[in-house]
Each structure stands twice: as C-alpha cells, then as structure tokens.
Amino acid sequence: MTEEMKSSESPQTLSSFWSLPNDVALNILARISIIHHPSLSLVSKRFRSILSSRDLDATRTLMRKTEKHIYLCLKFRLHAKPRWFALIPSGPDQKLKPLPSFPYKHYPVSPTVISTSSEIYLIGGYLNLKSRRVFVLDCRCHQWRRLPEMRVRRGRYTAAGWIHGKLYVLGGCESSGEVYDPKTGTWEPHMMSIQNGVVVENFGYFTTNTCFIAEEKILCRAVKNLGSSFLAWCNLEDKMGWRQVKGLEGLLPESPDFLSVASPDGGSRLAVWWVSYRKEDDRVLVSEIEIWCAEISFQRRSREEVYGVREWSKVLHTMNRSETGGVISLLSSAIVNL
C-alpha cells in the first residue's frame, strides 16, 4: 500500500470512528491500556474528553480492564520536597515518570499513606506540629487536592482504612478516632478498639504498614528489629500475638533503608517493598540503590504456623546516588488501579 493510499484512507477511518455512538466509543477505548492514553489524548478533543471522564473509569472497572500501577515517593538531597513518581512499564524494563511537584507549601513529614481505587491519600504527619490535613493525589490526572481538615491533629503512625466507602482514621499520637464521608465531605467522631496493636472494625481490619490476608484470615506486617527484617503474622481470633512467617529466610536484607507492605489484589497476596544497595560479585556498590518488590502468597499449615511462598521478587528500579546529590530515600509506596 502506498503512502498516498494510506493518507487518503485515514480521514475515512477517523470519520467512521467519530460516527460511533458515545457509549460504543467509550467501550472501545476502555479496552486500551492506560499506558497509551497520553498519546491517544492528542488525537482529538473527543478522545481527550472520553479518556478524562469518570465514565471511562467505571467502564474499565465493570469490564475488569483496570491495571495495577505502582507509585513511589522519593526524597533527593537536591530537592527540598519529596516527589512522587509513577513506575511506567517500557518494553521489558520499567522507568520512573516524575509527577507534577507537590503544589502546597509544605510536604507533611511521616504521613500515613493509603490508596483506594485510583487515588493516594496522605493523612496527618507533621507540618511543624501534628497536622489535621489530608492530601489526595488523583492518579488519573496526577492532580493534588485537599480534603476538609480532620477534627483532631494526628502525627505519625496514624491508622487508616477505607470501609464501605468511608475513610476511618485512628491514632497518630491520639487515642480518638474519626470517619470521613466523601458524600457529605464531613468528619465525624467514631469509636474504635485495638487488638494486638491493630484497629478492629465490624467490617474489617486496618493499621499502618499492616495488611489483612483474607484467604487465610490473618494480619501480616513487615518488621525491622535488631539488624534483621522479616514478615510477621497474627490471628485476631486468639491471643497468640505476632509470630514470624516461615519459609522466607533470606528474602529481605538485614537492615533495609525502607520496608513496607501492601495488598495489591484485595487480600490474597502481599507485596513487600524494600530499598538496598546493589551488589556485584558479593561487593556492595554504595553508589547505586535498588528498589525491590516481592509478591508473597501464604499457606496456613497449622494453628501456630504460617508459611510464605515467594511468587516472584525483582528489582523495580536502580538509581545512581551521584545523580541526585548523594542521597536517595524511598519514603512511601502505593498501588492503584487505573
């Protein structure tokens, strides 16, 4: 086919697409990976309008076409504020895409970070003093906004979780709890109890850096203690307390700079994150830092034993310290569905 034939057919092809009903065009675009949306949005105003609509999100969810995307918050010596990045697949590799800078004057220190659907929430932390603020990153358009302020100032270790469409928070150096209703845009006081250091609600469990593994009905969290790091589990139905997950010896480095967990598939597996220096021929290369992730499944072999199975583990990204002023810190991580 000659170039002349191609160019003569392109307008007709586009014209055919424009003539489709809006719901049909929406159904077609919902099947395309979000990775290609930036390029598609340049095609026309209609494409851009559909790709930025809430209807597209709802259609992709109904069609089960959403994809898990990884977001990382990094702190460089050369930058005053931490910065969020999206980990974008690029062929066989992955690259970090910097997001727009945090638009507010001060980025909170040690906030609780949770995600739901396509949004990431920064809750509490410190802005000189403990903070009532909640910041939200909309990962569909990479825009920040603020929720109405909480009733109580909360520092680090604030427990938070979404239950039945409402945001529940507790702790942060405060004993009181509260709940945010996005339909009314208001916070209300809420009583919650704590067992084994975990917030317990009638509808579920949540706490900082702890995940509920629904299939095994256990809680799992990452632990750093006296030069060692491991995964621990507990069962809220008894009072055994926290025990080490077996079968994962050698998975985590002894003293990782960052260690966090998330449940990317709704509670059957665990994603574990950590940061360590790159090794080459058993030599530690302090000039390069690796961001790792592993996915773990679980087997409950007895009342007192839980074994972990490493499904996969890999380096997500390698960064050179000299390019960023000598210091790179991974502050937070999140998984969203887009």
Side-chain angles (χ1 to χ4, degrees), residues 65-188:
K65 293 296 182 180
T66 57
E67 304 160 297
K68 293 180 177 63
H69 288 254
I70 297 169
Y71 283 74
L72 306 173
C73 181
L74 301 174
K75 170 70 174 174
F76 304 142
R77 175 180 288 175
L78 296 180
H79 299 279
K81 293 181 182 179
R83 188 152 189 187
W84 280 87
F85 293 79
L87 198 61
I88 305 297
S90 177
D93 303 316
Q94 300 187 89
K95 60 181 181 180
L96 287 177
K97 174 186 176 182
L99 305 189
S101 299
F102 188 72
Y104 304 101
K105 185 176 181 179
H106 298 292
Y107 189 93
V109 177
S110 302
T112 289
V113 178
I114 65 169
S115 61
T116 178
S117 185
S118 60
E119 295 181 326
I120 297 172
Y121 290 73
L122 310 184
I123 301 168
Y126 292 89
L127 296 168
N128 293 325
L129 301 173
K130 290 183 291 186
S131 173
R132 289 198 297 262
R133 295 180 183 177
V134 178
F135 301 97
V136 184
L137 173 62
D138 187 336
C139 297
R140 297 175 302 111
C141 58
H142 293 155
Q143 297 295 317
W144 289 92
R145 72 178 191 275
R146 281 174 56 178
L147 292 188
E149 291 191 351
M150 294 181 288
R151 300 167 62 91
V152 177
R153 295 181 182 272
R154 301 183 187 277
R156 67 179 67 193
Y157 307 127
T158 299
W162 283 91
I163 300 175
H164 291 357
K166 295 182 180 181
L167 175 60
Y168 291 75
V169 298
L170 174 69
C173 304
E174 293 290 338
S175 59
S176 60
E178 54 190 304
V179 57
Y180 175 74
D181 187 344
K183 293 182 179 179
T184 62
T186 58
W187 292 91
E188 297 294 339

Side-chain angles (χ1 to χ4, degrees), residues 292-310:
W292 281 79
C293 185
E295 188 167 284
I296 308 298
S297 61
F298 296 90
Q299 298 175 356
R300 185 76 177 269
R301 298 190 181 180
S302 71
R303 180 176 173 272
E304 299 181 356
E305 287 186 326
V306 169
Y307 279 75
V309 177
R310 183 192 318 194

Side-chain angles (χ1 to χ4, degrees), residues 155-228:
R156 67 179 67 193
Y157 307 127
T158 299
W162 283 91
I163 300 175
H164 291 357
K166 295 182 180 181
L167 175 60
Y168 291 75
V169 298
L170 174 69
C173 304
E174 293 290 338
S175 59
S176 60
E178 54 190 304
V179 57
Y180 175 74
D181 187 344
K183 293 182 179 179
T184 62
T186 58
W187 292 91
E188 297 294 339
H190 188 77
M191 295 296 296
M192 288 177 267
S193 61
I194 299 179
Q195 297 178 18
N196 288 331
V198 178
V199 181
V200 182
E201 269 295 300
N202 293 332
F203 310 114
Y205 313 92
F206 56 92
T207 187
T208 303
N209 206 23
T210 299
C211 293
F212 182 55
I213 308 301
E215 286 189 357
E216 303 296 337
K217 297 182 179 180
I218 61 172
L219 288 154
C220 190
R221 70 181 183 187
V223 176
K224 291 197 296 182
N225 184 34
L226 299 177
S228 64

Side-chain angles (χ1 to χ4, degrees), residues 2-20:
T2 65
E3 293 297 324
E4 294 179 354
M5 293 176 64
K6 288 181 180 178
S7 60
S8 64
E9 288 184 4
S10 296
Q12 182 178 356
T13 302
L14 290 174
S15 177
S16 299
F17 187 87
W18 303 150
S19 64
L20 293 173

Side-chain angles (χ1 to χ4, degrees), residues 276-289:
S276 63
Y277 293 115
R278 189 167 76 87
K279 290 185 178 181
E280 187 175 278
D281 297 329
D282 294 328
R283 293 184 300 111
V284 176
L285 304 180
V286 296
S287 61
E288 296 188 2
I289 294 178

